[in-house]
Amino acid sequence: AAESLRGKLGGSATDAQKDTANSALVKLLDDPDGYVVNRAAGTLIKCSFKESARALMARAVNRPDLARDVLKAVADDPTTGKIFVPVIRKMAASTQPAIRIEALTALASLSPEDCGEVMSRAVKNADPLVREAGLHGVQIALASMVPGNAGAAQSINSFQTAPTTREGPPLDSIAS
């Protein structure tokens, strides 16, 4: 289903067809089958992220399987991402370590000047993967604050700190 809807989101589709396909994919984010949800999310991230960012973020708050790819897409789009900084701050305090880990990286990328308190709590966390993500967030934030060093933050951000927080292939490999 995601593949046929994805075709409708392509360049030759009308705006009405894109809206219809986007709405159908957003509805699939509530499917009980995690595979269907991940396929729909991957397609939305690739094809209509700006239009579906709110829906994706609403699901990622409680779904570690979506948090990584959705938060990466949010962090890669600072204009859209800045809107979600308050939500990402809440995600950084999630009871689910996998969500906290992904939120820390996104927060450091989007709000480096005022993420210090969150990163400080993270480096004191009992979970070693959360501590590592907190340290990684500090690196990202500091690198982005060095004048003339904008590329360093992106380079550091591309480094995966905790591959064990993810089960299965990345969403972009599923949606292609």
Side-chain angles (χ1 to χ4, degrees):
E3 286 79 19
S4 65
L5 290 171
R6 184 179 185 190
K8 290 183 180 181
L9 291 172
S12 63
T14 66
D15 287 342
Q17 288 173 321
K18 289 178 185 179
D19 290 344
T20 300
N22 191 52
S23 294
L25 286 165
V26 168
K27 286 179 185 172
L28 289 175
L29 294 175
D30 295 322
D31 194 278
D33 185 342
Y35 178 79
V36 171
V37 172
N38 284 317
R39 299 281 300 208
T43 302
L44 286 167
I45 289 168
K46 279 188 165 185
C47 299
S48 62
F49 177 69
K50 286 187 186 300
E51 296 83 2
S52 59
R54 287 191 192 285
L56 287 162
M57 280 296 292
R59 279 39 169 228
V61 167
N62 296 310
R63 293 198 55 148
D65 58 326
L66 295 180
R68 180 186 188 131
D69 293 309
V70 172
L71 287 170
K72 182 181 180 330
V74 167
D76 288 348
D77 183 352
T79 304
T80 303
K82 293 281 185 186
I83 296 167
F84 295 109
V85 167
V87 175
I88 296 168
R89 282 186 183 285
K90 289 179 185 174
M91 292 173 78
S94 171
T95 58
Q96 299 180 60
I99 291 175
R100 279 197 313 258
I101 289 166
E102 302 306 336
L104 291 167
T105 301
L107 185 61
S109 296
L110 293 168
S111 188
E113 62 285 342
D114 62 353
C115 69
E117 186 178 321
V118 174
M119 296 305 152
S120 179
R121 281 194 306 270
V123 299
K124 296 173 187 168
N125 193 280
D127 187 314
L129 294 175
V130 173
R131 287 194 306 268
E132 185 177 354
L135 291 171
H136 182 67
V138 170
Q139 285 180 306
I140 293 168
L142 289 174
S144 70
M145 288 188 245
V146 174
N149 202 20
Q154 184 65 22
S155 174
I156 290 171
N157 196 15
S158 67
F159 174 74
Q160 267 190 349
T161 58
T164 58
T165 63
R166 171 142 186 102
E167 296 177 18
L171 289 179
D172 58 355
S173 68
I174 292 172
S176 5

